[in-house]
Amino acid sequence: MARIIVAEACPDCGSLDVRASEPRWFRVDLDRRGDLDDGWVERLEFECRGCRLVWD
């Protein structure tokens, strides 16, 4: 089975040094996360570490 990996690049400066987070109004310890949801991410937010642009 082939796997495809896609790198997120900053749309402003083109940097590949990007971090992703799942914004939530609260944070849950990783060992309890499975008790609260099935692991689906509603929305991802990306931030460029170079120019600090944030997008989703």
Side-chain angles (χ1 to χ4, degrees):
M1 178 164 117
R3 294 181 186 242
I4 298 173
I5 298 174
V6 178
E8 187 71 30
C10 176
D12 191 38
C13 70
S15 172
L16 292 175
D17 192 6
V18 172
R19 73 178 201 66
S21 65
E22 179 186 351
R24 289 181 176 241
W25 63 276
F26 67 95
R27 296 287 179 195
V28 178
D29 289 333
L30 293 177
D31 60 336
R32 294 207 46 239
R33 179 82 185 255
D35 297 337
L36 299 175
D37 63 33
D38 58 4
W40 289 98
V41 176
E42 293 176 8
R43 174 173 82 91
L44 276 180
E45 185 175 273
F46 298 96
E47 179 183 354
C48 177
R49 291 183 174 146
C51 70
R52 296 296 196 215
L53 179 72
V54 175
W55 69 96
D56 58 5

